[in-house]
Amino acid sequence: MKKLIALLRARLKAYDDTHNFTCDVCGREVFGGERICDKCRKILPYNDGIICPLCGRRQKEEGICLTCKQKRIGVEKARSVFTHEGEAARLIVRFKRGPKYLYRTLGEELYALCKREFHGVDAIVAVPMSEKSLKKRGYDQAALLAMRLGELWDVPVLTPVVKTRDTKPQKFLGRTDREQNLKGSFHVADRKSVKGKTILIVDDTMTTGTTLSELADVLGRAGAKTLYAATVTSVEERSPLPDKERG
Ligand SMILES: [Zn+2]
Ligand SMILES: [Zn+2]
């Protein structure tokens, strides 16, 4: 079985190397296995300006952001490839609606970020989805990203956590309601596999960081040593806004 998978991977890679593709953002033809054209790379909102050193979200001034000052994010450090706006936000929306192949491009972007930002990571854990949501969407986008990242980075991907109940969409909730909504929704089924490890949590988007913090909390209680988080996009920090209006 393993041999077969290795063979398939090698075939896929050979195919990628010799075929041209269209850009995942604008649809223009790209060469040499690239998935985003040079033009789009320039307009994508890479999150490389001023960011909060803890949650990694873009902000106007240097230093720890107001959200983290109110309540620290539950990981040592979180980083994201893009700010959640413009073409990057549209890519994420598309990725959740159907073109699941986008996990490759987005996973590669995550890899470039993680290689630079995180060291000594023992394992990757994707933010889990409930059975019900998985059935509805047909695929787990965070798991796909984690898989691609793990493959490129050569770091094992673990699935020690299950989401035991369906939660309301976080979109319309303020920070406090988000926390309430998620409380007790993650369960570490395999504690042994995370004990003493440095774990990187992966998700598509970080809004207020509540989901990452809740997952980090249960992993920490299960004995994980250090917790980091990486997402494809994160929403810019715009404090002070009323709690409800924060994305
Ligand atoms: Zn393009
Ligand atoms: Zn912050």
Side-chain angles (χ1 to χ4, degrees), residues 175-241:
R175 194 182 189 188
T176 320
D177 293 336
R178 281 171 182 242
E179 281 169 11
Q180 278 307 322
N181 186 32
L182 282 169
K183 267 276 160 282
S185 62
F186 294 127
H187 169 70
V188 184
D190 181 4
R191 300 170 75 88
K192 228 172 150 183
S193 69
V194 301
K195 209 167 177 182
K197 293 211 173 116
T198 293
I199 291 174
L200 176 86
I201 298 171
V202 165
D203 205 358
D204 49 9
T205 303
M206 172 167 68
T207 42
T208 58
T210 318
T211 309
L212 296 175
S213 294
E214 180 65 23
L215 182 57
D217 189 47
V218 297
L219 286 169
R221 278 189 274 134
K225 190 180 74 181
T226 310
L227 291 149
Y228 297 125
T231 56
V232 178
T233 65
S234 65
V235 173
E236 184 174 349
E237 162 66 37
R238 285 196 195 89
S239 295
L241 269 187

Side-chain angles (χ1 to χ4, degrees), residues 51-57 59 63-69 71 73 237:
I51 59 167
C52 166
L54 298 176
C55 69
R57 294 191 294 154
Q59 55 177 357
I64 293 171
C65 77
L66 285 175
T67 305
C68 286
K69 270 185 191 156
K71 192 178 180 195
I73 190 165
E237 162 66 37

Side-chain angles (χ1 to χ4, degrees), residues 131-149:
E131 280 288 329
K132 204 173 146 195
S133 312
L134 183 59
K135 266 199 190 133
K136 212 167 140 198
R137 185 166 296 157
Y139 63 97
D140 181 338
Q141 78 278 2
L144 286 171
L145 291 171
M147 186 190 83
R148 184 72 180 137
L149 173 64

